[in-house]
Amino acid sequence: MAKLTPFAWIAAVAAGILSLAGHQVSAAAVDGSELPFPPVPSASKAGPTLQTSVHHRRAQPNHLAKDAPNVLIILIDDVGYGQASTYGGEINTPNLTRIAQSGISYNAFHNTSICSPTRAALLTGRNHQRVGSGTIAERAVDWDGYTGVIPKTSATVAEVLKNYGYKTAAFGKWHNTPADQTTAMGPFDKWPNGYGFEYFYGFLAGETSQWEPRLAENTSIIEPPNTPGYHLTEDLADHAIGWLKKHQSYTPDKPFFIYFATGGAHGPHHVAPAWTAKYKGKFDDGYEAMRERIIKRQKESGWVPQATELTRRVESMPAWDSIPASERPFQLRLMETFAGFVEHTDAQVGRVIDELERTGKRDNTIIMYIFGDNGASAEGQRGSISELLAQNNIPNTVDQQIAALNKIGGLDAIGSHKTDNMYHAGWAWAGNTPLKSTKLVAAHFGGTRSPMAISWPAKIKPDGTPRAQFHHVNDIAPTLYELIGIKPPKMVNGYKQDPIDGISMAYTLSDAQANTRKRVQYFENSGSRGIYKDGWFAAAFGPFVPWDSAGSSAGIATWDSAQDKWELYNLNDDFSQARDLADKNPRKLVELKKEFDRQAKENKVWPVGAGAWLRIHPEDRLASPYTSWTFSDQTRRMPEFTAPGLGRQSNRVVIDAELGENASGVLYALGGAGGGLAFYMDKGKLVYEYNMMLIENYRAESGVIPAGQHQIIVDTQLESAKPMAPATVTVTVDGQEVAKTVVARTVPGAFTASESFDVGVDLGATVSLVYDERRPFAFSGKINQVRVELKK
């Protein structure tokens, strides 16, 4: 016998083993010669042999049609009905126009008026309270409709499509994980990967800096690349394009489902100056004049009916003429920055669409471009450089804002990493032209109506006639199921499924004049509520005024929903809710109020207004169950909602550290540029800094601390448990007081939505501008341990 090569010898041994089991194997040596095998029983006695059988790969089950379409859902954040140039607005959106012109558009499509609930309804096809999402994740409370947890009994469209054979991915803002479950330790079943997305790249919170985003990839906490000019929206597009390329390489035969939900144009409004410069001078005549221009174009293009009335400004919304001339450059720059941010966001969407065209996927891809998870946001109040001032109900003035801005670079700092800027509420009101109100108002379409375009070149004929059928984000999932040709399952992963509340919009694709098939839809957010039924709409504004957050607090505390005044509109001839018919048709109003009660009971809406609870009871916010912690120098990216409440509760921090000569760097930090606190060393001196949402800053500084091992204690004592109570902060080293300051008022809720607690560094947007250019300002000594205790 010829000498065998090593690989041939292995093959021979393997074949011999198989032959002993009664199977004949035909194998060839590496050099091409046949290997001898002992005789085996015949096939007639022992059944088919490997030699006589023809081997085929087992057929994989296929539950989809051969030409099942790809799906791309694009969801833009906090943009208004009248902002996009596509539909008469003054902000350039060529890629939204691109989708609209290649498909069809909807001018009576609705959301829930707020972020997390809209996303939950869109992804599940259910009403938002039915799936535990009656408010944003950060404001979740322990009532059934408001827990912030989407139940597994309401599977997302991603989970369903994945089980049918789709490849699934999500990019951008998630905002549907409970805020106390976003640490590196999970649990991860309520992260995007736990809801059907095989790949996720983005951020979990409601917002994040576009320059230093707090990112996650799948279930890993990651830092953004440290490259000049980095911007999150561009990064999201890069990753979506990269994923599409991998899909083309590895699974080109599988359809895909992509959920591309940008952080733009939610606050903070961050964009490079070149984009802001495009809009310089374009809004100089103010927001009322803007509304007049927008509705004129909306009517000329047929986007709104010719009889549509431009709704009036309410007295609580300041007129543009009331803004002092000295403030106007500030207010105009805020709007110009927002406009640049929106255009930049649309441009990144365009890059993803370009990739679909490059790979030939565009023709059989359903693209749903939803321009707004709610209406334009009034959370900037009267213009803000730190938007969470409004979320915390902290009273402030525009003069304070401008004075603080001037200390960090003036108007040029707007849009940069140094601010968390948001525009004046008047711009948001104008951005919702011709509708009433803004984001957070569920009673009026300025809060709940979003333009949407759908394109599917293979199946949908382009048609410029707007679809005016009344629809809602909970209709997206059932529409996709019908277009793909599948039925929503009764059981998913062992969970019996809740009923789907939405209906398919497929009947509208080829018939612009089809009668609306959606008969009933309720709305509710923080006590603001409404009910649509057969062309009529009844609504109650509720206790919260989004453009006067701090001023609303007292009203929420004494609010009685039974005493609310209801409004009534006939949408068949009143597109913008301009004419209240409550006094003229009381019987219809009573009928609709009863319908709202039925819907509320069915969908876990009670207690109405639960979403506003934390505005008057911040002590009930989601928080860690712990009262003491021991941290190492490796503690990183602990979300504020799970971290010790160092800025709002009495506490004691004990640090065991070894210092070198003239030690520098962060010992610990909580929050970011828009608000937070930091304890650091700079050239041997200890510094405590409390950044009260940029408009106030408190510092305590020691003398030089000698090198060596020390016990450093930061003791914070609030005067009372009341929100915004003053605090005394005392720093001691080895038992000796070295620094002290009084914080005149503390943050009652949270400094930020997504920044974190870090030991030994300050990751993300730095709390202090003192070390901004030295970020992350890693501590030069050694931190052995950091112990934190909350005081009773």
Side-chain angles (χ1 to χ4, degrees):
M1 181 185 296
K3 185 177 180 181
L4 296 178
T5 65
F7 288 118
W9 182 83
I10 293 171
V13 172
I17 293 172
L18 286 173
S19 70
L20 292 176
H23 295 279
Q24 179 102 9
V25 179
S26 177
V30 174
D31 61 3
S33 63
E34 286 289 318
L35 297 176
F37 292 101
V40 297
S42 66
S44 60
K45 295 182 180 179
T49 68
L50 289 181
Q51 186 179 39
T52 60
S53 299
V54 178
H55 178 67
H56 295 287
R57 182 181 296 276
R58 183 173 296 181
Q60 296 297 307
N62 183 19
H63 304 292
L64 295 165
K66 185 177 180 181
D67 61 346
N70 306 304
V71 179
L72 169 62
I73 292 181
I74 301 159
L75 182 64
I76 308 300
D77 203 340
D78 276 15
V79 287
Y81 190 82
Q83 288 176 330
S85 61
T86 308
Y87 304 114
E90 305 206 328
I91 302 176
N92 194 29
T93 51
N95 292 291
L96 176 57
T97 300
R98 175 182 179 185
I99 299 304
Q101 290 180 346
S102 65
I104 58 176
S105 295
Y106 291 76
N107 68 1
F109 181 80
H110 299 83
N111 53 67
T112 69
S113 83
I114 189 170
C115 305
S116 302
T118 290
R119 294 156 198 274
L122 186 157
L123 289 171
T124 65
R126 278 88 173 179
N127 288 323
H128 55 301
Q129 272 112 343
R130 187 189 294 280
V131 291
S133 301
T135 187
I136 58 174
E138 295 86 353
R139 293 191 180 277
V141 287
D142 196 15
W143 283 299
D144 287 346
Y146 303 86
T147 62
V149 177
I150 299 175
K152 300 299 184 180
T153 54
S154 288
T156 68
V157 64
E159 186 70 35
V160 172
L161 293 186
K162 182 188 73 171
N163 289 349
Y164 266 94
Y166 273 73
K167 307 307 293 182
T168 61
F171 302 90
K173 174 174 170 176
W174 177 245
H175 209 195
N176 286 118
T177 298
D180 59 350
Q181 298 184 26
T182 59
T183 74
M185 295 304 292
F188 301 114
D189 61 326
K190 299 177 185 66
W191 288 39
N193 300 97
Y195 282 116
F197 290 103
E198 295 169 305
Y199 181 77
F200 170 68
Y201 184 86
F203 60 100
L204 298 172
E207 64 178 56
T208 195
S209 167
Q210 294 288 311
W211 304 116
E212 302 116 338
R214 305 297 75 210
L215 293 173
E217 184 171 28
N218 297 319
T219 57
S220 296
I221 301 297
I222 62 171
E223 287 296 306
N226 185 22
T227 55
Y230 171 89
H231 193 280
L232 172 59
T233 319
E234 296 173 12
D235 188 19
L236 296 177
D238 289 344
H239 274 78
I241 291 168
W243 186 88
L244 282 167
K245 289 179 177 179
K246 291 176 183 176
H247 175 272
Q248 179 67 21
S249 296
Y250 306 136
T251 55
D253 58 324
K254 298 289 186 182
F256 61 74
F257 172 73
I258 294 177
Y259 175 52
F260 191 80
T262 64
H266 194 291
H269 298 159
H270 286 163
V271 74
W275 293 88
T276 297
K278 291 186 174 190
Y279 292 91
K280 185 172 179 55
K282 292 195 174 183
F283 310 115
D284 285 1
D285 52 358
Y287 39 75
E288 284 120 333
M290 180 193 290
R291 280 174 67 85
E292 295 288 348
R293 295 193 301 269
I294 292 171
I295 192 171
K296 183 175 183 293
R297 287 192 294 267
Q298 288 174 330
K299 288 185 177 182
E300 288 173 349
S301 67
W303 178 244
V304 302
Q306 292 300 308
T308 300
E309 296 182 34
L310 184 61
T311 54
R312 297 188 297 273
R313 176 180 56 82
V314 295
E315 291 184 4
S316 57
M317 176 77 71
W320 176 253
D321 288 345
S322 72
I323 295 176
S326 60
E327 288 183 15
R328 291 193 180 185
F330 172 67
Q331 304 295 1
L332 290 168
R333 180 63 68 88
L334 290 172
M335 177 58 196
E336 291 162 4
T337 303
F338 172 79
F341 189 20
V342 174
E343 181 175 346
H344 176 264
T345 300
D346 180 79
Q348 307 320 307
V349 170
R351 293 177 55 219
V352 178
I353 298 170
D354 288 346
E355 179 64 15
L356 294 179
E357 293 183 347
R358 187 190 69 80
T359 57
K361 299 288 188 181
R362 174 75 177 87
D363 192 56
N364 196 35
T365 299
I366 300 170
I367 298 180
M368 295 180 167
Y369 194 149
I370 305 170
F371 197 73
D373 59 345
N374 39 245
S377 173
E379 290 161 304
Q381 309 292 282
R382 284 159 174 76
S384 181
I385 60 171
S386 183
E387 60 162 319
L388 258 70
L389 281 165
Q391 297 282 3
N392 282 284
N393 292 335
I394 298 172
N396 62 91
T397 67
V398 175
D399 286 343
Q400 282 179 297
Q401 301 272 349
I402 295 175
L405 182 66
N406 287 337
K407 294 178 181 178
I408 58 175
L411 294 179
D412 289 342
I414 293 175
S416 76
H417 70 280
K418 295 180 180 180
T419 65
D420 281 356
N421 50 286
M422 284 277 285
Y423 59 5
H424 190 289
W427 299 118
W429 170 62
N432 293 320
T433 301
L435 310 172
K436 288 184 178 181
S437 302
T438 66
K439 172 186 176 180
L440 303 181
V441 178
H444 296 150
F445 295 150
T448 62
R449 186 167 280 181
S450 297
M452 179 178 67
I454 299 179
S455 173
W456 184 12
K459 297 290 179 71
I460 298 177
K461 182 179 179 181
D463 183 355
T465 303
R467 268 51 178 172
Q469 296 87 358
F470 194 100
H471 279 289
H472 186 270
V473 290
N474 62 21
D475 298 328
I476 294 294
T479 301
L480 289 175
Y481 294 150
E482 180 172 349
L483 295 182
I484 292 169
I486 62 177
K487 293 183 179 180
K490 296 179 180 179
M491 189 83 69
V492 176
N493 299 336
Y495 293 93
K496 183 179 179 181
Q497 293 295 288
D498 299 321
I500 287 182
D501 298 303
I503 71 165
S504 173
M505 299 184 294
Y507 72 97
T508 67
L509 300 183
S510 60
D511 186 358
Q513 308 305 324
N515 292 329
T516 299
R517 293 183 183 176
K518 193 174 188 77
R519 294 197 58 226
V520 177
Q521 179 62 52
Y522 83 89
F523 298 79
E524 198 279 341
N525 172 32
S526 297
S528 183
R529 55 207 188 275
I531 182 74
Y532 166 84
K533 185 177 182 181
D534 296 334
W536 288 85
F537 196 92
F541 186 87
F544 181 65
V545 181
W547 47 91
D548 185 15
S549 181
S552 296
S553 295
I556 296 173
T558 59
W559 171 65
D560 180 355
S561 63
Q563 302 302 313
D564 278 346
K565 184 181 185 303
W566 282 70
E567 306 161 16
L568 177 68
Y569 303 98
N570 183 349
L571 302 182
N572 295 310
D573 58 13
D574 184 9
F575 184 84
S576 61
Q577 296 178 307
R579 299 186 298 277
D580 182 2
L581 304 177
D583 292 337
K584 294 182 179 179
N585 198 339
R587 292 182 62 183
K588 175 60 73 172
L589 182 59
V590 169
E591 173 193 333
L592 290 178
K593 288 172 68 176
K594 289 181 178 178
E595 180 64 37
F596 178 85
D597 287 345
R598 284 193 290 271
Q599 294 291 322
K601 182 179 180 180
E602 168 67 20
N603 287 279
K604 304 177 185 177
V605 176
W606 306 125
V608 166
W613 180 258
L614 294 185
R615 292 187 183 276
I616 55 174
H617 291 284
E619 69 276 8
D620 289 339
R621 63 189 166 271
L622 283 171
S624 171
Y626 307 123
T627 58
S628 64
W629 297 257
T630 299
F631 298 118
S632 76
D633 60 354
Q634 296 302 306
T635 300
R636 302 283 192 276
R637 294 283 301 275
M638 187 176 193
E640 185 173 352
F641 283 86
T642 64
L646 300 180
R648 62 175 186 257
Q649 294 171 272
S650 295
N651 65 83
R652 190 170 187 260
V653 181
V654 180
I655 305 168
D656 294 324
E658 297 174 29
L659 313 183
E661 294 290 340
N662 296 316
S664 292
V666 172
L667 291 162
Y668 65 84
L670 174 67
L677 58 85
F679 188 52
Y680 59 96
M681 297 195 74
D682 203 358
K683 298 178 181 178
K685 297 180 179 181
L686 286 167
V687 182
Y688 175 90
E689 186 171 339
Y690 193 108
N691 174 357
M692 216 295 288
M693 317 309 284
L694 280 176
I695 61 173
E696 297 169 12
N697 191 280
Y698 306 93
R699 282 171 58 93
E701 183 175 313
S702 76
V704 174
I705 307 300
Q709 186 158 338
H710 297 282
Q711 184 181 78
I712 305 167
I713 298 177
V714 182
D715 188 274
T716 302
Q717 184 64 52
L718 272 66
E719 287 188 7
S720 71
K722 293 181 179 179
M724 289 182 281
T728 299
V729 181
T730 305
V731 180
T732 63
V733 177
D734 301 330
Q736 298 296 313
E737 181 179 313
V738 297
K740 191 171 188 176
T741 189
V742 175
V743 178
R745 54 179 179 168
T746 53
V747 171
F751 287 118
T752 72
S754 63
E755 293 284 348
S756 58
F757 174 75
D758 304 305
V759 174
V761 291
D762 185 355
L763 297 175
T766 59
V767 172
S768 174
L769 289 179
V770 169
Y771 55 81
D772 175 58
E773 294 184 359
R774 292 178 279 175
R775 67 182 65 195
F777 202 33
F779 183 56
S780 61
K782 181 180 179 182
I783 299 172
N784 296 316
Q785 185 174 263
V786 176
R787 299 190 303 277
V788 178
E789 290 188 9
L790 300 181
K791 300 179 183 180
K792 295 183 180 179

